[in-house]
Amino acid sequence: MSNFSLKLFENAYQLEPKAEQRLTGAIYAAISINLILLLYLAYSNGFLVGLLIFMSNLFFAAYFCKFLWYQYRPQYRLHFTLTTGGVRYRTVSAQKEQEFEWEEVDVVRFEQDRLLFVLKNDEQHEIGMDKIQSPTILQQARRKIKKIAKKKDIMVVV
C-alpha cells in the first residue's frame, strides 16, 4: 500500500465563506462600537448605560480574538488525520491531540455518526463523523479505514 494521508476534518469546523464574511463584518462593527462607547464613557455622565453596552459587546471582541488565534495557529484546530502509520485527532479544542498506531487497534466499529477504535489495551477512541460535511470524503475515509483494517487483520464491525 502506498503512503497516504487523509485529513478528514479539514475546514469541517469552519463556516461557509459568505457566513464567515458576515460574521467577520459583525465582529468589526462590534469592535468599532466598543471603541465609540469607550470614548462616550470618557466624555459623558451616562456611565452605567454605556458600561452595560460596552460589557455586552466584549463578547464579540473575545470571539474575534479566538477567531484570530485559530487563524494564526492552525496546529490547534480540530482535525482527524489518517495515515499509513496510525491515526491522529483532536475533536475538542481544549484537549490535547490523541494519537495511536494501527498495530495497537483491536476493533474498528462504524456506527451511524461516529467511529470507535478499541485498542488492544481496552482503551477506546471515539470520533464523531457527523462533522464531515462532504459525503464523498466520508465514503473515501470509510473505504480507506476498511482497507487498512483488512490489511492489518483488524476486526471491523459495521
Side-chain angles (χ1 to χ4, degrees):
M1 174 190 277
S2 63
N3 274 345
F4 80 94
S5 179
L6 177 65
K7 193 164 193 171
L8 296 179
F9 289 175
E10 190 168 355
N11 295 331
Y13 292 90
Q14 293 185 0
L15 300 172
E16 290 123 30
K18 285 186 178 181
E20 190 172 329
Q21 287 175 353
R22 281 188 230 123
L23 182 63
T24 305
I27 290 170
Y28 282 130
I31 290 174
S32 300
I33 290 171
N34 278 337
L35 293 175
I36 291 169
L37 285 173
L38 190 60
L39 292 173
Y40 173 77
L41 288 173
Y43 293 110
S44 72
N45 291 332
F47 183 75
L48 184 61
V49 174
L51 182 64
L52 290 175
I53 296 172
F54 179 74
M55 295 301 275
S56 66
N57 278 324
L58 283 179
F59 169 76
F60 293 106
Y63 185 82
F64 184 68
C65 291
K66 179 182 173 188
F67 176 76
L68 287 177
W69 172 266
Y70 284 121
Q71 287 291 353
Y72 293 109
R73 290 179 177 77
Q75 68 269 23
Y76 292 107
R77 287 187 187 152
L78 305 176
H79 68 90
F80 175 46
T81 305
L82 294 170
T83 62
T84 52
V87 176
R88 281 192 339 251
Y89 70 94
R90 178 184 290 116
T91 55
V92 178
S93 293
Q95 281 184 347
K96 69 175 197 162
E97 184 177 73
Q98 300 289 323
E99 183 175 12
F100 55 88
E101 296 178 3
W102 287 110
E103 286 74 27
E104 300 175 43
V105 178
D106 191 28
V107 177
V108 176
R109 182 172 291 133
F110 288 98
E111 296 180 2
Q112 186 174 11
D113 60 347
R114 67 185 186 126
L115 178 62
L116 183 67
F117 292 97
V118 180
L119 303 185
K120 291 178 181 172
N121 62 359
D122 292 329
E123 186 177 327
Q124 295 186 359
H125 295 269
E126 180 180 323
I127 295 134
M129 302 299 274
D130 57 340
K131 303 274 194 265
I132 299 175
Q133 296 172 344
S134 169
T136 308
I137 292 176
L138 183 59
Q139 289 299 339
Q140 180 184 8
R142 287 179 184 254
R143 274 187 264 123
K144 288 279 189 185
I145 292 170
K146 287 178 184 176
K147 188 175 181 180
I148 292 171
K150 183 178 178 182
K151 183 178 180 192
K152 307 252 184 197
D153 294 326
I154 299 170
M155 186 170 72
V156 176
V157 178
V158 179

